Amino acid sequence: MRIRSLIVPVVAGIAGLAVVFLLTAARTNVRVESVDFDHVVRATSPAFDARLAPASDAGIKAFRIPIKNATIEIAKGVTYDGWTFGGTVPGPVLRVRQGDQVRITVVNESDIPHSIDFHAARIPANVAYRMILPKDSISFEFTANDPGAFMVHCGTPPVTMHLMQGMYLPMIVDPKGGWGTKADKEFVLVQSEFYAKPGDSTKVGSAVAIPMQPDWKAAMAKNASQVVFNGRAFQYKDAPLKVDVGDRVRFFVVNAGPSFDSDFHVVGAIFDRVYPDGNPAHVLTGVQTYLIPAGGGAVFETVFDPAASGEGLYAFVTHSFADAEKGAVGIIQVGAPKVFATMVH
Ligand SMILES: [Cu+2]
């Protein structure tokens, strides 16, 4: 009896110390990491860099995202007058961890109004997603409470126009406890479609390549000219995503639309895990193809096991094949397969 009455306060004391320690740890996690996408621009040559680095352990992540017009390359040799977040299409990937505080500043450096819409945020849309006039900016913050692979986009009407011009980017929120597996490689892929028609060649000499222009009628008819991963048709056929034999590979796939679904599939592999929306609570196993709606995202994992999907070439596609024919197909090169030189695609 006497011993028990001694033990209880001691145990309570230890528990109290643990709580204090955890609170202190939480307080020390207020390190701010700032990224200015005017200075951190993702490589787009020879292909948009799809590789992903882990999120830092900073508890507050601040991003400055400039909106700017840019001439982009939507297929080999085909340029387009786009509107962008950060100068590329898609815009830069934002990666945070569940529970992080996310501080956003968007600066409109273009000549027409735009806005930004974070699918990862629970926030009053009329405040955070309001119109940003030229030369104006907006700042707001939210806690990334929901894990996932999210779309971020301009929501200014007509939204179809702002999306077909290139105004979207992916945001990844890693689950608090991690993904439950150790990935050897991680890639981000954003599917989207363009509706492009030839620009006005009467304004410049005919020898100059004219950037393509938006074709609104084609967009309303859902008759895309290109369907792409990471902004350019077929780019990962020429510059495959490279992994090693035995690698577990995690793909964060976001479908920016504006109007098409994505039926994500890897030829010659089966996903041993799919997280619809990128939420581990939704885990599926043994999946051949998984549908990502326009405005949605999902996380896919597969292992390039030497005894199964080992050394070789694997196409990733939207299995809606008319869309794959228009550019939504790429190659994953596992190891250094000898058939590489003779592979026909
Ligand atoms: Cu816009």
Side-chain angles (χ1 to χ4, degrees):
M1 193 71 177
R2 187 175 260 178
I3 289 171
R4 183 174 290 173
S5 65
L6 271 174
I7 285 173
V8 169
V10 168
V11 168
I14 290 170
L17 275 177
V19 168
V20 169
F21 176 77
L22 283 173
L23 284 174
T24 309
R27 262 204 303 276
T28 56
N29 193 21
V30 293
R31 192 164 70 77
V32 181
E33 179 191 59
S34 296
V35 180
D36 184 341
F37 286 112
D38 242 339
H39 303 129
V40 184
V41 180
R42 194 153 276 248
T44 57
S45 180
F48 186 97
D49 188 357
R51 295 170 303 174
L52 264 176
S56 82
D57 63 358
I60 301 172
K61 295 190 171 72
F63 301 98
R64 182 183 175 278
I65 306 170
I67 290 171
K68 49 176 88 176
N69 297 341
T71 300
I72 54 173
E73 190 179 23
I74 61 174
K76 207 172 202 168
V78 180
T79 55
Y80 186 89
D81 279 335
W83 306 338
T84 78
F85 289 112
T88 61
V89 175
V93 58
L94 310 188
R95 188 169 196 182
V96 307
R97 301 164 315 157
Q98 187 178 11
D100 283 350
Q101 194 67 12
V102 181
R103 291 182 181 161
I104 300 295
T105 297
V106 180
V107 184
N108 187 354
E109 297 174 2
S110 84
D111 45 9
I112 64 167
H114 292 291
S115 59
I116 197 159
D117 173 339
F118 278 81
H119 288 196
R122 300 179 188 239
I123 197 166
N126 62 316
V127 179
Y129 304 161
R130 69 162 170 80
M131 191 163 71
I132 314 165
L133 292 170
K135 314 298 170 218
D136 196 6
S137 67
I138 192 169
S139 295
F140 58 88
E141 58 182 273
F142 62 93
T143 307
N145 278 324
D146 300 83
F150 293 101
M151 182 181 180
V152 179
H153 65 97
C154 177
T156 298
V159 180
T160 307
M161 177 62 83
H162 288 251
L163 290 181
M164 64 197 264
Q165 287 295 90
M167 300 194 75
Y168 43 82
L169 56 92
M171 177 166 179
I172 294 160
V173 182
D174 291 322
K176 205 156 217 131
W179 294 97
T181 52
K182 192 196 162 296
D184 299 290
K185 306 274 189 321
E186 292 183 318
F187 297 105
V188 63
L189 296 169
V190 177
Q191 184 178 316
S192 64
E193 66 285 353
F194 287 102
Y195 301 87
K197 64 180 181 186
D200 184 357
S201 60
T202 60
K203 289 183 182 160
V204 285
S206 58
V208 180
I210 315 296
M212 304 285 271
Q213 307 282 328
D215 185 340
W216 181 253
K217 252 177 87 174
M220 288 299 97
K222 297 189 181 178
N223 181 21
S225 51
Q226 283 85 14
V227 185
V228 302
F229 287 117
N230 289 347
R232 193 183 309 151
F234 302 117
Q235 60 183 329
Y236 301 111
K237 278 179 74 175
D238 297 331
L241 304 179
K242 289 184 177 162
V243 307
D244 294 319
V245 177
D247 275 356
R248 172 175 289 277
V249 182
R250 189 178 294 132
F251 300 92
F252 298 86
V253 186
V254 169
N255 181 12
S259 299
F260 289 7
D261 288 338
S262 175
D263 305 311
F264 194 68
H265 174 78
V266 174
V267 180
I270 289 178
F271 302 115
D272 62 350
R273 289 163 182 245
V274 174
Y275 303 110
D277 263 317
N279 189 326
H282 303 163
V283 65
L284 304 171
T285 57
V287 178
Q288 54 186 313
T289 302
Y290 191 76
L291 183 145
I292 310 161
V299 175
F300 299 78
E301 287 185 18
T302 193
V303 179
F304 293 99
D305 182 342
S309 304
E311 188 160 75
L313 300 175
Y314 300 83
F316 60 94
V317 298
T318 173
H319 217 287
S320 180
F321 261 97
D323 300 346
E325 308 290 355
K326 291 180 175 179
V329 53
I331 301 290
I332 302 156
Q333 181 185 333
V334 181
K338 290 183 181 64
V339 294
F340 189 56
T342 56
M343 174 113 176
V344 177
H345 258 281

